[in-house]
Amino acid sequence: MKRRYLLAGTGAVGTALSLPAIAQGIRELRMVTDWPSNVPGTLDAAVQLAEAIQAATNGRLRIDVSAAGAVVRPFETLDAVAAGLADMYHSAEYYFESKSPGFTFFAAVPFGLTAQEHFAWVRYGGGQALWDSLSAEYGIKPILCGSTGSQMGGWFTSEITSAAGFRGLRYRMPGLGGEVLRRMDAAVVTVAGGEIRPALRSGALDASEWVGPWADMALGLHEVANYYYYPGFHEPGTALTLGINKAVWESFSPSDRRLIEGIAAGEFSRSLAEFNANNAVWLRRLRDAGTVQVRRFDDELLRTMLRQSREVVAEAGERDSHARLIAESHRAFQASIRDWSDVAERAFLNARGLD
């Protein structure tokens, strides 16, 4: 990537932060992320969020954005922000499920909510209050700030024709989706995005998901795996999070808090549109190249995944008091919105496909 990710403290920006500027109320903040620097979409989303906040505050709030591993190790971003080593993180909450499975409901749930349904649940279905309560225990204020949209099922070095094909398969998948595959006897691991390609090439992994064609091909996954399966049962609309140290959040004026929340909501829509537009372009390029077979998981395999997913999600919702309340809310909202989604989105897409 050519983009400069440090937005403050270097070059002309660093020169601008003279003593008179600091006296005028300019505040520098550090954002850590779980995104590698060599793929588009996720780290770009963090940078654009930071740039939007800086522009909207006329430069009063300036945010340094760091790629995964530059300041803290991948998946330790929440801990770093909670400890005050950074002011905020940009990540996906399923990376923190070891603290509570409740976190993963705010990223993606197997056979769960789509991106727009997820946004509706958090903003208008009671999700935000439950998320605030969970995150407050770790000193974090969480805000939705992005979405990758629907993801792909993953890259495989060999053909998958049935559930039996997952036995012993070394598969990279985070969150509850990973637990689903464990119950199908896969050997599931979580590695950082930048480690996926060499692991597939060396044989340390047999399969891996990441995001979709745009980001996956930037990682070069199409060069080390011959099969690309869909749908991504595990991540139907993955949400990205801006997590802010609670003391830092409370130090902002009410107007700045409202501004940050509004910008984050706008970035959710913008990033979703960006992923959808670019995934369409790169899927076509992949098909045209003809070197990778793009395949759909068959219905019987998907039914197996669905049965396992229901068990996994239900059990995750019983592991602690926060997870219980979050899972109940998530389940009730999905049940309530399903009819409308079928009548509106699914019916229209089916009709559009009649040509």
Side-chain angles (χ1 to χ4, degrees), residues 153 155-160 162-172 181-182 184-189 200 203-208 229 297 305:
W155 298 87
F156 293 74
T157 57
S158 60
E159 186 179 17
I160 296 293
S162 68
F166 284 87
R167 292 175 190 156
L169 198 75
R170 292 163 295 188
Y171 199 115
R172 185 266 183 203
L181 295 187
R182 285 189 187 94
M184 295 170 63
D185 298 322
V188 178
V189 298
L200 284 170
L205 286 177
D206 301 308
S208 177
Y229 279 90
F297 289 130
M305 290 172 167

Side-chain angles (χ1 to χ4, degrees), residues 17 50 57 84-85 90 115 118 123 155 157 215 240 242 260 284 307 323 336 338 355:
L17 292 176
T57 60
L85 300 177
H90 195 286
H118 184 89
R123 290 295 293 265
W155 298 87
T157 57
L240 308 180
L242 172 65
I260 291 169
R284 174 45 54 197
R307 287 194 298 269
S336 72
R338 180 171 178 169
D355 59 358

Side-chain angles (χ1 to χ4, degrees), residues 188-257:
V188 178
V189 298
T190 300
V191 301
E195 300 172 18
I196 296 173
R197 185 178 186 274
L200 284 170
R201 180 181 287 279
S202 70
L205 286 177
D206 301 308
S208 177
E209 62 79 53
W210 178 236
V211 181
W214 180 35
D216 293 8
M217 292 172 71
L219 275 181
L221 303 189
H222 60 301
E223 299 170 350
V224 291
N226 297 323
Y227 298 90
Y228 198 24
Y229 279 90
Y230 69 94
F233 79 95
H234 60 303
E235 298 190 44
T238 307
L240 308 180
T241 296
L242 172 65
I244 304 175
N245 178 283
K246 204 162 185 298
V248 171
W249 174 252
E250 291 172 351
S251 73
F252 293 141
S253 67
S255 61
D256 278 348
R257 290 183 212 165

Side-chain angles (χ1 to χ4, degrees), residues 25-259:
I26 292 174
R27 184 175 182 182
E28 285 191 79
L29 301 163
R30 169 172 284 177
M31 177 192 289
V32 291
T33 78
D34 284 310
W35 314 126
S37 61
N38 61 335
V39 296
T42 44
L43 187 58
D44 281 343
V47 170
Q48 291 185 64
L49 175 64
E51 290 176 339
I53 292 171
Q54 178 168 317
T57 60
N58 199 27
R60 286 188 298 105
L61 299 180
R62 301 189 176 190
I63 303 172
D64 291 345
V65 180
S66 300
V71 175
V72 297
R73 287 181 293 187
F75 316 137
E76 294 183 1
T77 50
L78 185 150
D79 290 333
V81 173
L85 300 177
D87 300 296
M88 55 188 69
Y89 67 79
H90 195 286
S91 188
E93 299 285 87
Y94 50 43
Y95 291 137
F96 315 130
E97 68 170 324
S98 63
K99 301 180 184 302
S100 168
F103 278 110
T104 199
F105 286 86
F106 296 102
V109 173
F111 292 98
L113 300 172
T114 65
Q116 294 294 359
E117 290 171 339
H118 184 89
F119 193 85
W121 170 56
V122 172
R123 290 295 293 265
Y124 301 107
Q128 185 69 59
L130 293 168
W131 196 11
D132 285 340
S133 179
L134 169 62
S135 297
E137 293 200 357
Y138 300 90
I140 301 293
K141 165 61 183 176
I143 304 171
L144 281 178
C145 69
S147 178
T148 68
S150 300
Q151 296 202 3
M152 290 288 283
W155 298 87
F156 293 74
T157 57
S158 60
E159 186 179 17
I160 296 293
T161 58
S162 68
F166 284 87
R167 292 175 190 156
L169 198 75
R170 292 163 295 188
Y171 199 115
R172 185 266 183 203
M173 180 179 284
L176 299 181
E179 180 57 28
V180 170
L181 295 187
R182 285 189 187 94
R183 298 190 184 195
M184 295 170 63
D185 298 322
V188 178
V189 298
T190 300
V191 301
E195 300 172 18
I196 296 173
R197 185 178 186 274
L200 284 170
R201 180 181 287 279
S202 70
L205 286 177
D206 301 308
S208 177
E209 62 79 53
W210 178 236
V211 181
W214 180 35
D216 293 8
M217 292 172 71
L219 275 181
L221 303 189
H222 60 301
E223 299 170 350
V224 291
N226 297 323
Y227 298 90
Y228 198 24
Y229 279 90
Y230 69 94
F233 79 95
H234 60 303
E235 298 190 44
T238 307
L240 308 180
T241 296
L242 172 65
I244 304 175
N245 178 283
K246 204 162 185 298
V248 171
W249 174 252
E250 291 172 351
S251 73
F252 293 141
S253 67
S255 61
D256 278 348
R257 290 183 212 165
R258 185 69 176 268
L259 186 69

